[in-house]
Coordinates of all heavy atoms in Angstrom, one line a residue:
G1362 N 29.5 13.6 -7.4 CA 28.7 12.5 -7.9 C 27.4 13.0 -8.5 O 27.4 13.6 -9.5
N1363 N 26.3 12.8 -7.8 CA 25.0 13.1 -8.2 C 24.8 14.7 -8.3 O 24.0 15.2 -9.1 CB 23.9 12.4 -7.4 CG 22.5 12.5 -8.0 OD1 22.4 12.8 -9.2 ND2 21.5 12.3 -7.2
C1364 N 25.4 15.3 -7.3 CA 25.2 16.8 -7.2 C 25.8 17.5 -8.4 O 25.3 18.4 -9.0 CB 25.9 17.3 -5.9 SG 25.8 19.1 -5.7
L1365 N 27.0 16.9 -8.9 CA 27.6 17.5 -10.1 C 26.8 17.3 -11.4 O 26.7 18.1 -12.2 CB 29.0 16.9 -10.3 CG 30.1 17.4 -9.4 CD1 31.4 16.7 -9.6 CD2 30.2 18.9 -9.4
K1366 N 26.1 16.1 -11.4 CA 25.2 15.8 -12.6 C 24.0 16.7 -12.6 O 23.6 17.2 -13.7 CB 24.9 14.4 -12.6 CG 25.9 13.4 -13.0 CD 25.4 12.0 -13.0 CE 26.5 11.0 -13.3 NZ 25.9 9.6 -13.4
T1367 N 23.4 17.0 -11.5 CA 22.2 17.8 -11.5 C 22.5 19.3 -11.6 O 21.6 20.0 -12.1 CB 21.4 17.6 -10.2 OG1 22.3 17.9 -9.1 CG2 20.9 16.1 -10.1
N1368 N 23.7 19.7 -11.3 CA 24.0 21.1 -11.4 C 25.1 21.4 -12.4 O 25.8 22.4 -12.4 CB 24.5 21.6 -10.0 CG 23.5 21.6 -9.0 OD1 22.3 21.9 -9.3 ND2 23.8 21.2 -7.8
A1369 N 25.3 20.5 -13.4 CA 26.3 20.7 -14.4 C 26.1 22.0 -15.2 O 27.1 22.6 -15.5 CB 26.3 19.4 -15.4
L1370 N 24.9 22.3 -15.6 CA 24.7 23.5 -16.4 C 25.1 24.8 -15.5 O 25.7 25.7 -16.0 CB 23.2 23.6 -16.8 CG 22.9 24.8 -17.7 CD1 23.7 24.8 -19.0 CD2 21.4 24.8 -18.1
L1371 N 24.6 24.8 -14.3 CA 25.0 25.9 -13.4 C 26.5 26.0 -13.2 O 27.0 27.2 -13.4 CB 24.3 25.7 -12.0 CG 24.7 26.7 -10.9 CD1 24.2 28.1 -11.3 CD2 24.1 26.3 -9.6
I1372 N 27.2 24.9 -13.0 CA 28.6 25.0 -12.9 C 29.3 25.4 -14.1 O 30.2 26.3 -14.1 CB 29.1 23.6 -12.4 CG1 28.7 23.3 -11.0 CG2 30.6 23.5 -12.5 CD1 28.9 21.9 -10.6
A1373 N 28.8 25.0 -15.3 CA 29.4 25.4 -16.6 C 29.2 26.9 -16.8 O 30.0 27.6 -17.3 CB 28.7 24.6 -17.8
I1374 N 28.0 27.4 -16.5 CA 27.7 28.9 -16.6 C 28.6 29.7 -15.7 O 29.2 30.7 -16.1 CB 26.2 29.2 -16.3 CG1 25.3 28.6 -17.4 CG2 26.0 30.7 -16.2 CD1 23.9 28.7 -17.2
L1375 N 28.8 29.3 -14.5 CA 29.7 30.0 -13.5 C 31.1 30.0 -14.0 O 31.8 31.0 -13.9 CB 29.5 29.4 -12.1 CG 28.2 29.7 -11.4 CD1 28.2 28.9 -10.1 CD2 27.9 31.1 -11.2
V1376 N 31.6 28.8 -14.5 CA 32.9 28.7 -15.0 C 33.1 29.6 -16.2 O 34.1 30.4 -16.3 CB 33.3 27.3 -15.4 CG1 34.6 27.2 -16.2 CG2 33.4 26.4 -14.1
A1377 N 32.1 29.7 -17.1 CA 32.2 30.6 -18.3 C 32.2 32.1 -17.9 O 32.9 32.9 -18.5 CB 31.0 30.2 -19.2
I1378 N 31.4 32.4 -16.9 CA 31.4 33.8 -16.4 C 32.8 34.2 -15.9 O 33.3 35.3 -16.2 CB 30.3 34.0 -15.4 CG1 28.9 33.9 -16.0 CG2 30.5 35.3 -14.6 CD1 27.8 33.9 -15.0
F1379 N 33.3 33.4 -15.0 CA 34.6 33.7 -14.4 C 35.7 33.7 -15.5 O 36.7 34.5 -15.5 CB 35.0 32.8 -13.3 CG 34.2 33.1 -12.1 CD1 33.3 32.1 -11.5 CD2 34.3 34.3 -11.5 CE1 32.6 32.4 -10.4 CE2 33.5 34.6 -10.3 CZ 32.7 33.7 -9.8
A1380 N 35.6 32.8 -16.5 CA 36.6 32.8 -17.6 C 36.5 34.0 -18.4 O 37.5 34.6 -18.8 CB 36.5 31.5 -18.4
G1381 N 35.3 34.4 -18.7 CA 35.0 35.7 -19.5 C 35.6 36.9 -18.7 O 36.1 37.8 -19.3
L1382 N 35.3 37.0 -17.4 CA 35.9 38.1 -16.6 C 37.4 38.1 -16.6 O 38.0 39.2 -16.8 CB 35.4 38.0 -15.2 CG 33.9 38.3 -14.9 CD1 33.5 38.0 -13.5 CD2 33.6 39.8 -15.2
L1383 N 38.0 36.9 -16.5 CA 39.4 36.8 -16.5 C 40.0 37.3 -17.9 O 41.0 38.1 -17.9 CB 39.9 35.4 -16.2 CG 41.4 35.2 -16.1 CD1 42.0 35.9 -14.9 CD2 41.6 33.6 -16.0
V1384 N 39.5 36.7 -19.0 CA 40.0 37.0 -20.3 C 39.7 38.5 -20.6 O 40.6 39.2 -21.1 CB 39.4 36.1 -21.3 CG1 39.7 36.6 -22.7 CG2 39.8 34.7 -21.2
G1385 N 38.6 39.0 -20.3 CA 38.3 40.4 -20.5 C 39.2 41.3 -19.7 O 39.6 42.4 -20.2
G1386 N 39.4 40.9 -18.5 CA 40.3 41.8 -17.6 C 41.7 41.8 -18.1 O 42.4 42.8 -18.1
L1387 N 42.2 40.6 -18.6 CA 43.6 40.5 -19.2 C 43.7 41.3 -20.5 O 44.7 42.0 -20.6 CB 44.0 39.1 -19.4 CG 44.2 38.2 -18.1 CD1 44.5 36.8 -18.5 CD2 45.4 38.8 -17.3
I1388 N 42.7 41.1 -21.3 CA 42.8 41.8 -22.6 C 42.6 43.4 -22.4 O 43.3 44.2 -23.0 CB 41.8 41.3 -23.6 CG1 42.1 39.9 -24.0 CG2 41.6 42.2 -24.8 CD1 41.1 39.2 -24.9
G1389 N 41.7 43.7 -21.5 CA 41.5 45.1 -21.2 C 42.7 45.8 -20.6 O 42.9 47.0 -20.8
G1390 N 43.4 45.0 -19.8 CA 44.6 45.6 -19.1 C 45.8 45.7 -20.1 O 46.6 46.5 -20.0
L1391 N 45.9 44.8 -21.1 CA 46.9 44.8 -22.0 C 46.8 45.8 -23.2 O 47.7 46.4 -23.7 CB 47.2 43.4 -22.6 CG 47.7 42.4 -21.5 CD1 47.7 41.0 -22.2 CD2 49.0 42.7 -20.9
I1392 N 45.6 45.9 -23.7 CA 45.3 46.6 -24.9 C 44.4 47.8 -24.5 O 43.3 47.7 -24.0 CB 44.5 45.8 -25.9 CG1 45.4 44.6 -26.3 CG2 44.2 46.7 -27.2 CD1 44.6 43.6 -27.2
K1393 N 44.8 49.1 -24.7 CA 44.1 50.3 -24.5 C 43.6 50.8 -25.8 O 44.3 51.1 -26.7 CB 45.0 51.3 -23.8 CG 45.6 50.9 -22.5 CD 44.4 50.8 -21.5 CE 45.1 50.5 -20.2 NZ 44.1 50.1 -19.2
V1394 N 42.2 50.8 -25.9 CA 41.6 51.2 -27.2 C 40.7 52.4 -26.9 O 39.9 52.3 -26.0 CB 40.8 50.1 -27.8 CG1 40.1 50.5 -29.1 CG2 41.7 48.9 -28.2
E1395 N 40.8 53.4 -27.7 CA 39.9 54.6 -27.5 C 38.8 54.4 -28.5 O 39.1 54.3 -29.8 CB 40.7 55.9 -27.8 CG 41.7 56.2 -26.7 CD 41.1 56.5 -25.3 OE1 39.9 57.0 -25.3 OE2 41.6 56.1 -24.3
P1396 N 37.5 54.3 -28.1 CA 36.5 54.1 -29.1 C 36.2 55.4 -29.9 O 36.3 56.5 -29.4 CB 35.3 53.8 -28.2 CG 35.6 54.4 -26.9 CD 37.1 54.3 -26.8
N1397 N 36.0 55.2 -31.2 CA 35.6 56.3 -32.0 C 34.1 56.4 -32.1 O 33.4 55.6 -31.6 CB 36.3 56.3 -33.4 CG 35.9 55.0 -34.1 OD1 35.0 54.3 -33.7 ND2 36.6 54.7 -35.1
S1398 N 33.6 57.4 -32.8 CA 32.1 57.7 -32.8 C 31.5 56.6 -33.6 O 30.3 56.2 -33.3 CB 31.8 59.0 -33.4 OG 32.3 59.2 -34.7
L1399 N 32.0 56.0 -34.6 CA 31.4 55.0 -35.4 C 31.3 53.7 -34.5 O 30.2 53.1 -34.6 CB 32.2 54.7 -36.6 CG 31.7 53.5 -37.5 CD1 30.3 53.9 -38.1 CD2 32.7 53.2 -38.6
A1400 N 32.3 53.3 -33.8 CA 32.2 52.2 -32.9 C 31.1 52.4 -31.9 O 30.4 51.4 -31.6 CB 33.5 51.9 -32.3
V1401 N 31.1 53.5 -31.3 CA 30.0 53.8 -30.3 C 28.6 53.7 -30.9 O 27.7 53.1 -30.3 CB 30.2 55.2 -29.6 CG1 29.0 55.6 -28.8 CG2 31.5 55.2 -28.9
L1402 N 28.5 54.2 -32.1 CA 27.2 54.1 -32.8 C 26.8 52.7 -33.1 O 25.6 52.3 -32.9 CB 27.2 54.9 -34.1 CG 25.9 54.9 -35.0 CD1 24.8 55.6 -34.3 CD2 26.2 55.4 -36.3
L1403 N 27.7 51.9 -33.6 CA 27.5 50.5 -34.0 C 27.1 49.6 -32.7 O 26.4 48.7 -32.8 CB 28.7 49.9 -34.7 CG 28.9 50.5 -36.1 CD1 30.2 49.9 -36.7 CD2 27.7 50.2 -37.0
V1404 N 27.7 50.0 -31.6 CA 27.4 49.2 -30.4 C 26.1 49.7 -29.7 O 25.3 48.9 -29.2 CB 28.6 49.4 -29.4 CG1 28.3 48.8 -28.0 CG2 29.8 48.6 -30.0
S1405 N 25.9 51.0 -29.8 CA 24.6 51.6 -29.1 C 23.4 51.3 -29.9 O 22.3 51.3 -29.3 CB 24.9 53.0 -28.8 OG 24.9 53.7 -30.0
L1406 N 23.5 51.2 -31.2 CA 22.2 51.0 -32.0 C 21.5 49.8 -31.7 O 20.3 49.9 -31.4 CB 22.6 51.1 -33.5 CG 21.4 51.0 -34.4 CD1 20.5 52.2 -34.3 CD2 21.9 50.9 -35.9
P1407 N 22.0 48.6 -31.6 CA 21.3 47.4 -31.2 C 20.7 47.5 -29.8 O 19.5 47.1 -29.6 CB 22.3 46.3 -31.3 CG 23.3 46.7 -32.2 CD 23.4 48.2 -32.0
G1408 N 21.4 48.2 -28.9 CA 20.8 48.3 -27.5 C 19.7 49.3 -27.6 O 18.7 49.0 -26.8
E1409 N 19.7 50.3 -28.3 CA 18.5 51.2 -28.4 C 17.3 50.5 -29.0 O 16.2 50.7 -28.5 CB 18.9 52.5 -29.2 CG 19.8 53.4 -28.5 CD 19.0 54.2 -27.4 OE1 17.8 54.5 -27.6 OE2 19.6 54.4 -26.4
I1410 N 17.6 49.8 -30.1 CA 16.5 49.0 -30.7 C 15.8 48.0 -29.7 O 14.6 48.0 -29.6 CB 17.0 48.3 -32.0 CG1 17.3 49.4 -33.1 CG2 15.9 47.4 -32.6 CD1 18.0 48.8 -34.3
F1411 N 16.7 47.3 -29.0 CA 16.2 46.3 -28.0 C 15.3 47.0 -26.9 O 14.3 46.5 -26.6 CB 17.4 45.6 -27.4 CG 17.0 44.6 -26.4 CD1 16.3 43.4 -26.7 CD2 17.3 44.8 -25.0 CE1 16.0 42.5 -25.8 CE2 16.9 43.9 -24.1 CZ 16.2 42.8 -24.4
L1412 N 15.8 48.1 -26.4 CA 15.1 48.9 -25.3 C 13.8 49.4 -25.9 O 12.7 49.3 -25.2 CB 16.0 50.0 -24.8 CG 17.1 49.5 -23.8 CD1 17.9 50.7 -23.4 CD2 16.6 48.7 -22.7
N1413 N 13.7 49.9 -27.1 CA 12.5 50.4 -27.7 C 11.5 49.3 -27.9 O 10.3 49.4 -27.8 CB 12.8 51.1 -29.0 CG 13.4 52.5 -28.8 OD1 13.2 53.0 -27.7 ND2 14.1 53.0 -29.7
M1414 N 12.0 48.0 -28.3 CA 11.1 46.9 -28.5 C 10.5 46.5 -27.1 O 9.3 46.1 -27.1 CB 11.9 45.8 -29.1 CG 12.1 46.0 -30.6 SD 13.3 44.8 -31.4 CE 12.7 43.2 -30.7
L1415 N 11.3 46.5 -26.1 CA 10.8 46.2 -24.7 C 9.7 47.2 -24.3 O 8.7 46.7 -23.8 CB 12.0 46.2 -23.7 CG 12.8 44.9 -23.7 CD1 13.9 45.1 -22.7 CD2 12.1 43.7 -23.4
K1416 N 10.0 48.5 -24.6 CA 9.0 49.5 -24.2 C 7.6 49.2 -24.9 O 6.5 49.5 -24.4 CB 9.5 50.9 -24.5 CG 10.6 51.3 -23.6 CD 11.1 52.7 -24.0 CE 12.3 53.1 -23.3 NZ 12.9 54.3 -23.7
M1417 N 7.8 48.8 -26.2 CA 6.5 48.5 -27.0 C 5.7 47.4 -26.4 O 4.5 47.3 -26.6 CB 6.9 48.2 -28.4 CG 7.0 49.4 -29.3 SD 7.2 49.0 -31.1 CE 7.6 47.3 -31.2
L1418 N 6.4 46.4 -25.8 CA 5.8 45.2 -25.3 C 5.1 45.3 -23.9 O 4.3 44.5 -23.5 CB 6.7 44.0 -25.3 CG 7.1 43.5 -26.7 CD1 8.2 42.5 -26.6 CD2 6.0 43.0 -27.4
I1419 N 5.6 46.3 -23.1 CA 5.2 46.4 -21.7 C 3.7 46.5 -21.5 O 3.1 45.7 -20.8 CB 6.0 47.4 -21.0 CG1 7.4 47.1 -20.9 CG2 5.4 47.7 -19.6 CD1 8.3 48.1 -20.3
I1420 N 3.1 47.5 -22.1 CA 1.7 47.8 -21.9 C 0.8 46.7 -22.5 O -0.1 46.2 -21.8 CB 1.3 49.2 -22.5 CG1 2.0 50.3 -21.6 CG2 -0.2 49.4 -22.5 CD1 1.7 51.7 -22.0
P1421 N 1.1 46.2 -23.7 CA 0.2 45.1 -24.1 C 0.3 43.8 -23.2 O -0.7 43.2 -23.0 CB 0.7 44.7 -25.5 CG 1.3 46.0 -26.0 CD 1.9 46.7 -24.8
I1422 N 1.5 43.5 -22.7 CA 1.6 42.4 -21.8 C 0.8 42.6 -20.5 O 0.2 41.7 -20.0 CB 3.1 42.1 -21.5 CG1 3.8 41.5 -22.7 CG2 3.3 41.2 -20.3 CD1 5.3 41.3 -22.6
I1423 N 0.9 43.8 -20.0 CA 0.2 44.1 -18.8 C -1.3 44.0 -19.1 O -2.1 43.4 -18.3 CB 0.5 45.5 -18.3 CG1 2.0 45.5 -17.7 CG2 -0.5 45.9 -17.2 CD1 2.5 46.9 -17.3
M1424 N -1.8 44.5 -20.1 CA -3.2 44.5 -20.5 C -3.7 43.0 -20.7 O -4.8 42.6 -20.2 CB -3.6 45.4 -21.6 CG -3.4 46.8 -21.3 SD -4.2 47.4 -19.9 CE -5.9 47.2 -20.3
F1425 N -2.9 42.2 -21.4 CA -3.3 40.9 -21.7 C -3.3 40.1 -20.4 O -4.2 39.2 -20.2 CB -2.5 40.2 -22.7 CG -2.7 40.7 -24.2 CD1 -1.7 41.0 -25.0 CD2 -4.1 40.7 -24.6 CE1 -2.0 41.5 -26.2 CE2 -4.3 41.2 -25.9 CZ -3.3 41.6 -26.7
S1426 N -2.4 40.3 -19.5 CA -2.4 39.5 -18.3 C -3.5 40.0 -17.4 O -4.1 39.1 -16.7 CB -1.1 39.7 -17.5 OG -0.9 41.0 -17.2
L1427 N -3.9 41.3 -17.4 CA -5.0 41.7 -16.7 C -6.3 41.2 -17.2 O -7.2 40.7 -16.4 CB -5.1 43.3 -16.8 CG -6.2 44.0 -16.1 CD1 -6.2 43.8 -14.6 CD2 -6.3 45.4 -16.5
I1428 N -6.5 41.1 -18.5 CA -7.7 40.6 -19.1 C -7.8 39.0 -18.8 O -8.8 38.5 -18.4 CB -7.7 40.8 -20.6 CG1 -7.9 42.3 -20.9 CG2 -8.8 39.9 -21.3 CD1 -7.7 42.7 -22.4
S1429 N -6.7 38.4 -18.8 CA -6.7 36.9 -18.5 C -7.0 36.7 -17.1 O -7.7 35.8 -16.7 CB -5.3 36.4 -18.8 OG -5.2 35.0 -18.4
G1430 N -6.5 37.6 -16.2 CA -6.7 37.4 -14.8 C -8.2 37.7 -14.4 O -8.8 37.0 -13.6
I1431 N -8.7 38.7 -15.0 CA -10.2 39.0 -14.8 C -11.1 37.9 -15.3 O -12.1 37.6 -14.7 CB -10.5 40.4 -15.4 CG1 -9.8 41.5 -14.7 CG2 -12.0 40.7 -15.4 CD1 -9.9 42.9 -15.3
G1432 N -10.7 37.4 -16.5 CA -11.5 36.4 -17.1 C -11.5 35.1 -16.3 O -12.4 34.3 -16.3
S1433 N -10.4 34.8 -15.5 CA -10.4 33.6 -14.7 C -11.1 33.7 -13.3 O -11.3 32.8 -12.6 CB -8.9 33.2 -14.5 OG -8.2 34.1 -13.7
I1434 N -11.5 35.0 -12.9 CA -12.1 35.1 -11.6 C -13.6 34.8 -11.8 O -14.2 35.3 -12.7 CB -11.9 36.6 -11.2 CG1 -10.4 36.9 -10.8 CG2 -12.8 36.9 -9.9 CD1 -10.1 38.3 -10.4
D1435 N -14.1 34.0 -10.9 CA -15.5 33.7 -10.9 C -16.2 34.7 -9.9 O -16.0 34.6 -8.7 CB -15.7 32.3 -10.4 CG -17.2 31.9 -10.5 OD1 -18.0 32.6 -11.1 OD2 -17.5 30.9 -9.9
M1436 N -17.0 35.6 -10.5 CA -17.5 36.7 -9.6 C -18.6 36.2 -8.6 O -18.7 36.7 -7.6 CB -18.2 37.7 -10.6 CG -17.2 38.6 -11.3 SD -16.3 39.6 -10.2 CE -15.2 40.4 -11.3
K1437 N -19.3 35.1 -8.9 CA -20.3 34.6 -8.0 C -19.7 34.1 -6.8 O -20.2 34.3 -5.7 CB -21.2 33.6 -8.7 CG -22.1 34.2 -9.8 CD -22.9 33.2 -10.5 CE -23.7 33.9 -11.5 NZ -24.6 33.0 -12.3
T1438 N -18.6 33.3 -6.9 CA -18.0 32.8 -5.7 C -17.1 33.7 -5.0 O -17.0 33.7 -3.8 CB -17.2 31.5 -6.1 OG1 -16.1 31.9 -7.0 CG2 -18.0 30.4 -6.7
S1439 N -16.6 34.7 -5.7 CA -15.7 35.6 -5.0 C -16.4 36.7 -4.3 O -15.9 37.3 -3.3 CB -14.8 36.2 -6.1 OG -14.0 35.2 -6.6
G1440 N -17.5 37.2 -4.9 CA -18.4 38.2 -4.3 C -17.7 39.5 -4.3 O -17.0 39.9 -5.3
S1441 N -17.8 40.2 -3.1 CA -17.2 41.6 -3.1 C -15.6 41.6 -3.2 O -15.0 42.5 -3.6 CB -17.6 42.3 -1.8 OG -17.1 41.6 -0.7
L1442 N -15.0 40.5 -2.7 CA -13.6 40.4 -2.8 C -13.1 40.4 -4.3 O -12.2 41.0 -4.6 CB -13.1 39.1 -2.1 CG -11.6 38.9 -2.1 CD1 -10.9 40.0 -1.4 CD2 -11.3 37.6 -1.6
G1443 N -13.9 39.7 -5.1 CA -13.6 39.7 -6.5 C -13.7 41.1 -7.1 O -12.8 41.5 -7.9
W1444 N -14.7 41.8 -6.8 CA -14.9 43.2 -7.3 C -13.8 44.1 -6.8 O -13.2 44.9 -7.6 CB -16.2 43.8 -6.9 CG -17.4 43.3 -7.8 CD1 -18.4 42.5 -7.4 CD2 -17.6 43.6 -9.1 NE1 -19.2 42.2 -8.6 CE2 -18.7 42.9 -9.6 CE3 -16.8 44.3 -10.1 CZ2 -19.1 43.0 -10.9 CZ3 -17.3 44.4 -11.4 CH2 -18.4 43.8 -11.8
R1445 N -13.4 44.0 -5.5 CA -12.3 44.8 -5.0 C -11.0 44.4 -5.7 O -10.2 45.3 -6.0 CB -12.2 44.6 -3.5 CG -13.2 45.4 -2.7 CD -12.9 45.3 -1.3 NE -13.8 44.3 -0.7 CZ -13.8 43.7 0.5 NH1 -12.8 44.2 1.3 NH2 -14.6 42.8 0.8
T1446 N -10.8 43.2 -6.0 CA -9.6 42.8 -6.7 C -9.6 43.3 -8.1 O -8.5 43.9 -8.6 CB -9.6 41.2 -6.8 OG1 -9.6 40.7 -5.4 CG2 -8.3 40.8 -7.5
V1447 N -10.7 43.2 -8.8 CA -10.8 43.8 -10.2 C -10.5 45.3 -10.1 O -9.7 45.8 -11.0 CB -12.1 43.4 -10.8 CG1 -12.3 44.2 -12.1 CG2 -12.2 41.9 -11.0
V1448 N -11.1 46.0 -9.3 CA -11.0 47.5 -9.1 C -9.5 47.8 -8.8 O -8.9 48.7 -9.4 CB -11.9 48.0 -8.2 CG1 -11.6 49.5 -7.9 CG2 -13.4 47.9 -8.6
Y1449 N -9.0 47.1 -7.9 CA -7.5 47.3 -7.6 C -6.6 47.1 -8.7 O -5.8 47.9 -9.0 CB -7.2 46.4 -6.4 CG -5.7 46.5 -6.0 CD1 -5.2 47.6 -5.3 CD2 -4.8 45.5 -6.3 CE1 -3.9 47.7 -4.9 CE2 -3.5 45.5 -6.0 CZ -3.0 46.6 -5.3 OH -1.7 46.7 -5.0
Y1450 N -6.8 46.0 -9.4 CA -5.9 45.7 -10.6 C -6.1 46.7 -11.7 O -5.1 47.2 -12.2 CB -6.2 44.3 -11.1 CG -5.5 43.2 -10.3 CD1 -6.1 42.1 -9.9 CD2 -4.1 43.3 -10.1 CE1 -5.5 41.1 -9.2 CE2 -3.5 42.3 -9.3 CZ -4.2 41.1 -8.9 OH -3.5 40.2 -8.2
L1451 N -7.3 47.1 -12.0 CA -7.6 48.0 -13.0 C -7.0 49.4 -12.7 O -6.4 50.1 -13.5 CB -9.1 48.2 -13.2 CG -9.7 47.1 -14.1 CD1 -11.3 47.3 -14.1 CD2 -9.1 47.0 -15.5
S1452 N -7.2 49.8 -11.4 CA -6.7 51.2 -11.1 C -5.2 51.2 -11.0 O -4.5 52.1 -11.5 CB -7.2 51.6 -9.7 OG -6.8 50.7 -8.7
T1453 N -4.5 50.1 -10.5 CA -3.0 50.2 -10.5 C -2.5 50.0 -11.9 O -1.4 50.6 -12.2 CB -2.5 49.0 -9.6 OG1 -3.0 47.8 -10.0 CG2 -2.8 49.3 -8.1
T1454 N -3.1 49.2 -12.7 CA -2.6 49.0 -14.1 C -2.8 50.3 -14.9 O -1.8 50.7 -15.6 CB -3.3 47.9 -14.8 OG1 -3.1 46.7 -14.0 CG2 -2.8 47.7 -16.2
I1455 N -3.9 50.9 -14.8 CA -4.1 52.2 -15.5 C -3.2 53.3 -15.0 O -2.6 54.0 -15.9 CB -5.6 52.6 -15.4 CG1 -6.5 51.7 -16.2 CG2 -5.8 54.0 -15.9 CD1 -8.0 51.8 -16.0
S1456 N -3.0 53.4 -13.7 CA -2.1 54.4 -13.2 C -0.7 54.2 -13.6 O 0.1 55.1 -13.9 CB -2.2 54.6 -11.7 OG -1.9 53.4 -11.1
A1457 N -0.3 52.9 -13.6 CA 1.1 52.6 -14.0 C 1.3 52.8 -15.5 O 2.4 53.3 -15.9 CB 1.3 51.1 -13.7
A1458 N 0.3 52.5 -16.3 CA 0.4 52.8 -17.7 C 0.5 54.3 -18.0 O 1.3 54.7 -18.8 CB -0.8 52.2 -18.4
I1459 N -0.3 55.1 -17.3 CA -0.3 56.5 -17.5 C 1.1 57.1 -17.1 O 1.7 57.9 -17.8 CB -1.4 57.2 -16.8 CG1 -2.7 56.8 -17.4 CG2 -1.3 58.7 -16.7 CD1 -4.0 57.3 -16.7
L1460 N 1.6 56.6 -15.9 CA 2.8 57.1 -15.4 C 3.9 56.7 -16.3 O 4.9 57.5 -16.6 CB 3.1 56.6 -14.0 CG 4.4 57.0 -13.3 CD1 4.4 58.5 -13.1 CD2 4.6 56.2 -12.0
G1461 N 3.9 55.4 -16.8 CA 5.0 55.0 -17.8 C 4.9 55.8 -19.0 O 6.0 56.2 -19.5
I1462 N 3.8 56.1 -19.6 CA 3.8 56.9 -20.8 C 4.2 58.3 -20.5 O 5.0 58.9 -21.4 CB 2.3 56.9 -21.3 CG1 1.9 55.6 -21.9 CG2 2.1 58.0 -22.4 CD1 0.4 55.4 -22.2
I1463 N 3.9 58.9 -19.4 CA 4.4 60.2 -19.1 C 5.9 60.2 -18.9 O 6.6 61.1 -19.4 CB 3.7 60.8 -17.8 CG1 2.2 61.1 -18.0 CG2 4.5 62.0 -17.2 CD1 1.5 61.4 -16.8
L1464 N 6.4 59.2 -18.3 CA 7.9 59.2 -18.1 C 8.7 58.9 -19.4 O 9.7 59.5 -19.6 CB 8.3 58.1 -17.0 CG 7.9 58.4 -15.6 CD1 8.1 57.3 -14.7 CD2 8.5 59.7 -15.1
V1465 N 8.1 58.1 -20.3 CA 8.7 57.9 -21.5 C 8.7 59.1 -22.5 O 9.7 59.4 -23.1 CB 8.1 56.6 -22.2 CG1 8.5 56.5 -23.6 CG2 8.5 55.4 -21.5
V1466 N 7.6 59.8 -22.5 CA 7.4 60.9 -23.4 C 8.2 62.1 -22.9 O 8.8 62.8 -23.7 CB 5.9 61.3 -23.5 CG1 5.8 62.6 -24.2 CG2 5.2 60.2 -24.2
S1467 N 8.3 62.3 -21.6 CA 9.0 63.5 -21.1 C 10.5 63.3 -21.0 O 11.1 62.3 -21.2 CB 8.5 63.9 -19.7 OG 8.7 62.9 -18.8

């Protein structure tokens, strides 16, 4: 009744997932295909582009959220807690950004 109406999208997604697993398992079991280098390149190229785009967005998103968070803090009412919060966020963000850059470059 009402439960099916409110969760119709969830149920449709779960049915589609299981149908995809079933069809993929049947096709994968019936047809054995050895990928060649061109197929691997064509499949891996969009994935590489997507991951590189995500890497480009991480640091700007962190910095903009940090700036937005600092801008919303009222220093007069927060007092020393506000300053400790700002210092904590700045130090963790800067250390995470430096560690991320080191791990990506190396």
Side-chain angles (χ1 to χ4, degrees):
N1363 192 21
C1364 181
L1365 289 177
K1366 286 183 182 179
T1367 57
N1368 294 322
L1370 181 61
L1371 174 64
I1372 293 170
I1374 290 172
L1375 291 175
V1376 167
I1378 288 172
F1379 287 119
L1382 287 171
L1383 181 67
V1384 170
L1387 290 174
I1388 291 176
L1391 296 175
I1392 301 172
K1393 299 291 182 193
V1394 176
E1395 293 295 325
N1397 58 16
S1398 61
L1399 179 63
V1401 171
L1402 177 70
L1403 291 176
V1404 171
S1405 66
L1406 183 64
E1409 284 290 323
I1410 292 172
F1411 178 70
L1412 287 176
N1413 287 335
M1414 287 171 43
L1415 282 178
K1416 288 177 190 176
M1417 273 188 345
L1418 290 174
I1419 289 172
I1420 291 179
I1422 287 175
I1423 290 173
M1424 292 308 296
F1425 285 132
S1426 65
L1427 177 67
I1428 291 169
S1429 173
I1431 291 173
S1433 66
I1434 294 176
D1435 185 15
M1436 289 296 179
K1437 292 181 181 176
T1438 59
S1439 300
S1441 65
L1442 180 63
W1444 280 111
R1445 280 187 263 169
T1446 304
V1447 169
V1448 169
Y1449 175 75
Y1450 279 130
L1451 284 175
S1452 62
T1453 56
T1454 300
I1455 290 171
S1456 62
I1459 291 172
L1460 179 64
I1462 290 171
I1463 289 171
L1464 290 176
V1465 167
V1466 170
S1467 62

